[in-house]
Amino acid sequence: MKIIITILLVFTFSLAESQTLQHKQPVASKAQKDWHDMEYYLFAHFGPNTFTGLEWGLGDEKEDIFNPTNLDCDQWCRVAKAGGAKGIIITAKHHDGFCLWPSKYSTHTVRESKWKDGKGDVLKELSTACKKYGLKFGVYLSPWDRNHPDYGTDKYNDVYVNMTKEIFANYGPIWELWWDGANGEGPNGKKQVYDFQRFEKLVRSISPNTVIFSDIGPDIRWVGNENGIGGETNWNTLDTAGFTRDAGAPSTDTLKSGNANGKVWMTAECDVSIRPGWFYHRSEDTLVKSPATLFNLYLKSVGRGADLLLNIPPDRRGLFNEHDSVALVGFKKLLEENFRNNLAKKGTGYVVSNNSKKIIKTLNDGIPDSFSATTLPHSQTMLIELDKQRKINCVVLREDLSKGQQCAKFQIKLKDKQGGLIKEINGTTIGRKRVISFPSAEAYKIEVSITEQKNSTRISEIEAYLIDERLIEN
């Protein structure tokens, strides 16, 4: 009797400990989840560099250099919509300090330029256009300022705070605020000690639903490269204690993969430009990434559980250039054509345990947020039986993250109708969305097993496709 009681006590303690562990795991806030569901959106690098040919302006450029001949933010939004993007982040102030709005806290702005006789306001035009076309509006506001005379002094933190207030008051709502970690010298030869804690507290107080990006968040982390590529292992969690932005950030490898037991929920954002440079240069018109290349980047970012931030730099007219627009529209076409026919929906979803099968209708209904309460301990396998043996070369897995990210390793087995093994694929993390592509194979059954996990993994959706063979991940 004592032995039985002891065993029950140990079991009860272990269960309680497991529940506590799961409860303490970080999860996404609503704002983070909404951001993550966008999948991909655009960056727009625009400013004096567009006209000087530089990538990092020096801060001493004459304001009149900024003079787009035909700025049309409606055109930006039309192209973004045609390309399937769900938002635009604009470089309101890059490192050169030039403000694309008539800031009261700088004399290096559109107000001092000859564009529209100093009456222009790029942020106003873009924020208005984004509302018109149903796109999210985000702002890149570089803390580095190579022009402002107060940079390198305590006064500059006040300047940056006031600029932030100005932008949120006049152009909101702002869905994402993008902090570049660059910290160089200003016109007085000094570097600034940024008061990021103060900056963050301000944004939280005036716009709590805004998500903030930097190499250590607080909401979204840099992926550690500017190639648009996420880690094949990609945890949505990160340890930030003891780290600072820029030089004091975690290693690029850590930023790419996250920390399996990280204390903070902070998903990776994969930034990349459609051109070799971030600002428009006419010499790069023939070097724009092709739709197929963009599709491959999608597989390596969104398809690895991250978000894709694709830079489309407006040209000197103030338009998204024709070369970029054609590539973007072609990219959307590839996404639509290749992910249109979810073959798993034609089959039946099961959870398999001890040679018995239980139908799970939500497993392959094509609705990512529909979810059965069934968890996936090691003794169970998720199974899709297709309506017939079909050729497939892409499987998409989605993990329910409402209680944290759990899967550390998974295995996919493609089998014929008699249960014979055709192909075996092993992977690590799943996260919000994992896209696995491979040379095509005929299969009737798709079995998904979790071979390593923190707590019981909850698979919310399994999809199967036959995509263009030339587009499988390389």
Side-chain angles (χ1 to χ4, degrees), residues 20 62 83 117-118 169 180 203 209 213 245 301 313 333 347 368 414 440:
T20 301
K62 298 296 183 184
D117 297 322
D180 194 305
V203 176
N209 292 324
F213 166 95
R245 292 170 180 87
S301 55
K333 184 178 179 183
L414 305 183
S440 60

Side-chain angles (χ1 to χ4, degrees), residues 46-58 61 65 94-96 279-281 316:
F46 191 47
N49 294 341
T50 308
F51 303 89
T52 62
L54 298 175
E55 282 291 304
W56 280 15
L58 304 176
E61 293 82 9
I65 194 71
H94 205 256
H95 309 326
D96 53 39
F279 286 88
Y280 176 80
H281 309 295
R316 294 183 179 187

Side-chain angles (χ1 to χ4, degrees), residues 56-119:
W56 280 15
L58 304 176
D60 58 359
E61 293 82 9
K62 298 296 183 184
E63 289 80 14
D64 281 349
I65 194 71
F66 182 82
N67 191 25
T69 55
N70 189 28
L71 180 78
D72 185 354
C73 290
D74 276 28
Q75 186 257 6
W76 299 12
C77 292
R78 288 194 298 270
V79 172
K81 293 283 282 190
K86 295 181 180 178
I88 301 177
I89 299 174
I90 178 73
T91 53
K93 179 172 79 78
H94 205 256
H95 309 326
D96 53 39
F98 186 81
C99 299
L100 294 182
W101 79 103
S103 176
K104 297 176 183 177
Y105 305 99
S106 174
T107 57
H108 192 48
T109 80
V110 288
R111 183 184 54 244
E112 286 74 38
S113 73
K114 62 183 178 184
W115 175 57
K116 292 191 173 182
D117 297 322
K119 303 280 196 303

Side-chain angles (χ1 to χ4, degrees), residues 394-466:
C394 181
V395 172
V396 178
L397 304 178
R398 296 176 185 263
E399 183 179 351
D400 174 69
L401 302 174
S402 60
K403 295 185 182 298
Q405 186 180 4
Q406 310 298 348
C407 177
K409 289 183 181 179
F410 65 86
Q411 184 178 79
I412 299 173
K413 289 182 178 180
L414 305 183
K415 295 183 175 181
D416 60 25
K417 199 164 188 176
Q418 290 71 41
L421 181 64
I422 297 169
K423 184 184 288 288
E424 181 179 303
I425 303 163
N426 293 286
T428 54
T429 53
I430 296 174
R432 179 190 172 275
K433 187 175 186 177
R434 185 64 189 265
V435 182
I436 305 102
S437 58
F438 45 87
S440 60
E442 295 270 351
Y444 177 72
K445 298 180 179 181
I446 304 168
E447 291 184 358
V448 179
S449 301
I450 307 303
T451 56
E452 187 177 319
Q453 57 190 343
K454 294 194 291 185
N455 279 299
S456 295
T457 301
R458 294 147 59 101
I459 300 294
S460 62
E461 194 73 23
I462 299 175
E463 305 165 24
Y465 300 92
L466 179 62

